[in-house]
Amino acid sequence: MLKKGVERKEVLRALGEVFRAHGYEGASLTLITEATGLGKGSLYHLFPGGKEQMATEVLADIDGWFELNIYAPLREASDPARGVAAMIAGVDQYFHSGDRVCLVGMVALGAARDTFATSVDDYFARWQVALASLLRRSGLSRSQAQRRAEDALLTIQGALVLARARNDAGIFRRALSDLTARLLAP
Amino acid sequence: MLKKGVERKEVLRALGEVFRAHGYEGASLTLITEATGLGKGSLYHLFPGGKEQMATEVLADIDGWFELNIYAPLREASDPARGVAAMIAGVDQYFHSGDRVCLVGMVALGAARDTFATSVDDYFARWQVALASLLRRSGLSRSQAQRRAEDALLTIQGALVLARARNDAGIFRRALSDLTARLLAP
DNA sequence: GGGACATTGTACCGATCGGTACAGAGAGTC
DNA sequence: GACTCTCTGTACCGATCGGTACAATGTCCC
């Protein structure tokens, strides 16, 4: 029997990796059953809403991780340099130094975007707001902070795409390093 | 009857839009027949290799467009500022100011990456080399030029992802504008 | 042990997938 | 008009798609 909270998290993690590897439409139930080790019966018992519910919960789970490990620390950091460094470290960890793809960005590019539009938008919007609030505290104007936060998100996404396209994780590493400097520039 | 060269280009363009809108795996033959106006008979007559050949040729077609409109001008430009401005203008035009997604980047993120790995890698590699060669002429060191070209490609890709995720073409516009300045900075 | 309820494996559903076979329409040549 | 040869619409293929039905099993409390 499932220990409700615990095991569902594990299932969501496996689901996330399947969606990451094959996209929303490419993640067939066969792949999903293999990745989770759960038969269709269990799967539809856990997620009566089918694939769409699975993806929704996976996105929510990702959002939760970022809220805890990225957004909240950004909001609460007192020292801008430390705050930025912590975010960069968290991002590097989450994306396995460029080996892992961003599921949210992937969904955004595909046909499934419309279905998950608000989740996708929220993910980036809240990140931008949290980062901009930190940058404001470092002395930037509101518009400067917003613009620079936007640049940060876009750099991370672009680095993930390019790193994967060229199969070169160094791209991601360099991008994060440059980004740190750019965010903290006067 | 097809006027060989001409009509095939049009078919490839339609195919490209279907792949862009639904991804490689999501682009079903039904969608493809609708978008191209061609029945399965014609489709498999034109592309005996099926979907894979279609995608391969679409990628080659895109590569051709960039070679002609972006890479070659970059290589041949004498004035760096003009060369960069021309590239940015071309990119803005090609991606419809952020409304259009990059098919190459999209393929790179999905499961189809392995199938088209060399096409995907070439697309970015040749772009980076062409841009870096221009930047070298503007006085940058080889490594600086390479690094800055990498930053340019990654910025464009990231801006496309973020613009689509947040449904805000302004992100793309701002990113291109900032990028121009960053590329030409001393 | 027995009843209640959560969980699961399996068989099955209609729809759609990518792809093939092929007869015949269409156009060019003589 | 008859002969090519290119092109295309249609019927069809087995496989797989996402999803459902349900009986069987497990787990718990009593």
Side-chain angles (χ1 to χ4, degrees):
Chain A
M1 186 181 289
L2 289 184
K3 290 144 239 142
K4 289 277 171 179
V6 185
E7 286 226 18
R8 179 172 270 257
K9 279 271 177 197
E10 284 170 26
V11 172
L12 286 177
R13 200 144 313 170
L15 281 174
E17 296 311 321
V18 182
F19 284 129
R20 246 182 269 274
H22 301 89
Y24 178 69
E25 19 264 330
S28 70
L29 286 190
T30 305
L31 288 170
I32 289 175
T33 55
E34 284 169 3
T36 58
L38 261 40
K40 285 191 182 186
S42 318
L43 236 24
Y44 276 84
H45 177 73
L46 257 63
F47 305 95
K51 255 178 85 169
E52 188 171 328
Q53 185 185 350
M54 297 179 205
T56 302
E57 292 203 22
V58 167
L59 289 175
D61 187 51
I62 291 172
D63 195 84
W65 191 94
F66 273 81
E67 173 59 36
L68 183 68
N69 298 91
I70 307 280
Y71 308 158
L74 277 176
R75 279 189 230 104
E76 291 154 15
S78 49
D79 177 16
R82 269 178 198 278
V84 165
M87 179 189 89
I88 297 289
V91 165
D92 188 54
Q93 177 203 332
Y94 184 82
F95 292 114
H96 298 171
S97 300
D99 274 347
R100 205 188 198 193
V101 131
C102 177
L103 181 57
V104 188
M106 193 171 191
V107 168
L109 286 185
R113 186 195 71 151
D114 296 349
T115 312
F116 307 103
T118 58
S119 293
V120 168
D121 187 69
D122 276 10
Y123 171 81
F124 290 114
R126 291 172 50 222
W127 193 345
Q128 188 184 358
V129 168
L131 177 54
S133 89
L134 177 75
L135 295 177
R136 278 223 74 177
R137 268 171 280 145
S138 82
L140 263 49
S141 74
R142 175 191 286 266
S143 66
Q144 272 181 314
Q146 274 186 352
R147 183 63 196 83
R148 215 175 268 200
E150 183 176 293
D151 173 62
L153 303 199
L154 143 191
T155 298
I156 292 166
Q157 291 299 310
L160 288 169
V161 172
L162 202 59
R164 194 163 155 81
R166 309 220 47 198
N167 195 28
D168 176 3
I171 293 172
F172 188 69
R173 222 184 335 102
R174 287 191 287 275
L176 284 193
S177 162
D178 281 22
L179 180 58
T180 308
R182 222 188 299 153
L183 280 174
L184 295 171
Chain B
M1 188 180 290
L2 290 183
K3 289 147 241 141
K4 291 273 171 182
V6 186
E7 285 224 21
R8 179 172 269 256
K9 279 270 175 197
E10 284 169 26
V11 172
L12 285 177
R13 198 144 315 169
L15 281 174
E17 295 311 320
V18 182
F19 285 129
R20 246 182 270 272
H22 300 90
Y24 178 69
E25 18 263 332
S28 70
L29 287 189
T30 306
L31 288 169
I32 290 174
T33 56
E34 283 169 3
T36 57
L38 262 39
K40 286 191 181 185
S42 318
L43 236 25
Y44 276 83
H45 178 73
L46 257 64
F47 306 95
K51 256 178 83 170
E52 188 171 329
Q53 184 184 350
M54 296 179 206
T56 302
E57 291 203 23
V58 166
L59 289 175
D61 188 51
I62 291 172
D63 195 83
W65 191 94
F66 274 81
E67 173 59 36
L68 183 68
N69 297 93
I70 306 280
Y71 309 159
L74 277 177
R75 279 190 230 103
E76 291 154 15
S78 50
D79 177 17
R82 269 178 198 276
V84 165
M87 180 189 89
I88 296 290
V91 166
D92 188 55
Q93 175 202 332
Y94 184 82
F95 292 113
H96 298 172
S97 301
D99 274 347
R100 205 189 199 193
V101 130
C102 177
L103 180 57
V104 187
M106 192 172 191
V107 168
L109 286 186
R113 185 194 71 152
D114 296 348
T115 312
F116 307 103
T118 59
S119 293
V120 168
D121 187 69
D122 276 11
Y123 171 81
F124 289 114
R126 291 171 52 220
W127 193 346
Q128 188 183 359
V129 168
L131 178 53
S133 89
L134 177 75
L135 295 177
R136 278 224 74 176
R137 268 170 280 145
S138 80
L140 263 49
S141 75
R142 176 192 285 267
S143 65
Q144 273 182 315
Q146 274 185 353
R147 182 64 196 81
R148 214 174 268 199
E150 183 176 291
D151 173 62
L153 302 199
L154 149 186
T155 299
I156 292 167
Q157 291 300 310
L160 288 169
V161 172
L162 201 59
R164 194 163 156 80
R166 310 221 46 200
N167 197 26
D168 176 3
I171 294 171
F172 188 68
R173 222 183 336 101
R174 287 191 288 275
L176 284 193
S177 162
D178 282 21
L179 180 59
T180 309
R182 224 187 298 152
L183 280 174
L184 295 171

